[in-house]
Amino acid sequence: MTVSSLIAQFFVTPIALGGLQKAVLILPICLSIAIVYKVTRLENLRHMIRAVLNLWVTIVVGMYAVGVGLWVVYTLLV
Amino acid sequence: MPNPNELSPAIRIPLAGLLAWLVPGVGHLFIGERTRGLILLITVSLTFWGGIAIGGVRSTVDPQRNYLWFMAQICAGGHTLAAYGLGESSRSKHFKANVPDASYQRDKRVTQRLKSDLLSTANWRSAELALVYTGVAGLLNLLAILDAIVRADPAHRRMAVVTAAPGTGAT
């Protein structure tokens, strides 16, 4: 199998994900959101990295907190 | 190619928006915001194609089944059109392989059923996550398009020069 057919197969066949992997894949998408938001908001990009990291951590902690909160509510109700 | 700064705002602003839609980040590159444009190009492209890699090109961009998600995905412009084209081509190959009789291939119901079979074989977790990744990439590009349009306006440039001070910036 050639490298190009391997890459083609990678983009055609869905990856089998577990629940934990899905939770971990929140990290890169939150990073993308933080980068694009800060790139459009900041006039001076010299301080971008710190601002992006702050926003990324805030989003990730917030998302996991909401997730845990909903899971607790669900566990208590069901 | 003429210098974008020499173009009138009536051409420069919509052209920046159109380029930003076609290829994320290129609208910013067009108006001279090179760093901003490159960061947007890399980030939006990686997010979109990361989603395609997770869910597969066949089932991720599908305007018939996921039309609301498609509305978000189409904001990523060229990426979505390319993914849709690749997906259609891959689906056609799949149909031809599974339905050798050409008369059945023209039957829309058979085609639809095969398509549903194809989609149901996708891992639901990865299919869901792929939609989120590609949809968010499209919405992030919408933000980038609006930003390119605002920055292409000479009035914004004058305001940015007046208000920008080292170490500050809107948060």
Side-chain angles (χ1 to χ4, degrees):
Chain A
M1 194 176 258
T2 61
V3 176
S4 57
S5 64
L6 262 175
I7 292 170
Q9 195 61 30
F10 179 61
F11 279 92
V12 170
T13 313
I15 299 169
L17 293 175
L20 184 67
Q21 288 160 313
K22 201 178 166 187
V24 170
L25 278 167
I26 281 179
L27 300 176
I29 200 165
C30 289
L31 184 62
S32 295
I33 292 168
I35 291 171
V36 173
Y37 181 75
K38 284 298 172 188
V39 163
T40 56
R41 291 287 290 169
L42 291 175
E43 284 302 330
N44 187 350
L45 294 180
R46 260 179 289 173
H47 307 280
M48 195 194 90
I49 294 175
R50 198 179 170 156
V52 165
L53 286 176
N54 279 341
L55 183 60
W56 183 42
V57 170
T58 308
I59 297 172
V60 168
V61 170
M63 291 285 282
Y64 281 124
V66 169
V68 169
L70 287 173
W71 177 76
V72 168
V73 170
Y74 175 79
T75 313
L76 290 175
L77 290 178
V78 181
Chain B
M1 192 175 165
N3 184 352
N5 292 323
E6 290 168 6
L7 293 171
S8 80
I11 298 170
R12 187 178 136 97
I13 296 171
L15 195 56
L18 182 70
L19 289 171
W21 174 73
L22 270 177
V23 183
V26 170
H28 286 84
L29 292 175
F30 170 69
I31 57 172
E33 299 264 2
R34 286 182 64 187
T35 314
R36 224 177 282 275
L38 283 173
I39 294 170
L40 288 170
L41 176 67
I42 294 167
T43 311
V44 175
S45 305
L46 279 180
T47 309
F48 187 88
W49 289 102
I52 297 289
I54 291 168
V57 78
R58 283 177 185 164
S59 58
T60 305
V61 180
D62 186 353
Q64 274 90 42
R65 281 177 74 101
N66 306 312
Y67 61 93
L68 283 176
W69 279 109
F70 184 75
M71 301 278 277
Q73 289 166 338
I74 198 65
C75 295
H79 291 307
T80 309
L81 298 176
Y84 179 69
L86 288 170
E88 277 297 300
S89 147
S90 181
R91 282 191 285 262
S92 301
K93 276 183 195 163
H94 180 83
F95 296 152
K96 280 177 188 159
N98 287 280
V99 188
D101 188 346
S103 62
Y104 282 113
Q105 283 180 25
R106 284 194 292 272
D107 189 334
K108 224 173 175 176
R109 280 172 304 176
V110 174
T111 313
Q112 281 297 335
R113 206 168 70 201
L114 267 172
K115 201 172 178 181
S116 296
D117 291 348
L118 187 77
L119 295 173
S120 64
T121 57
N123 179 302
W124 68 269
R125 281 199 184 104
S126 57
E128 203 177 71
L129 202 64
L131 283 175
V132 172
Y133 264 70
T134 49
V136 167
L139 294 176
L140 289 175
N141 196 43
L142 182 62
L143 190 65
I145 293 167
L146 295 174
D147 189 61
I149 289 170
V150 169
R151 285 177 196 280
D153 188 353
H156 173 269
R157 295 202 148 199
R158 284 196 296 273
M159 257 178 64
V161 169
V162 171
T163 55
T168 61
T171 52

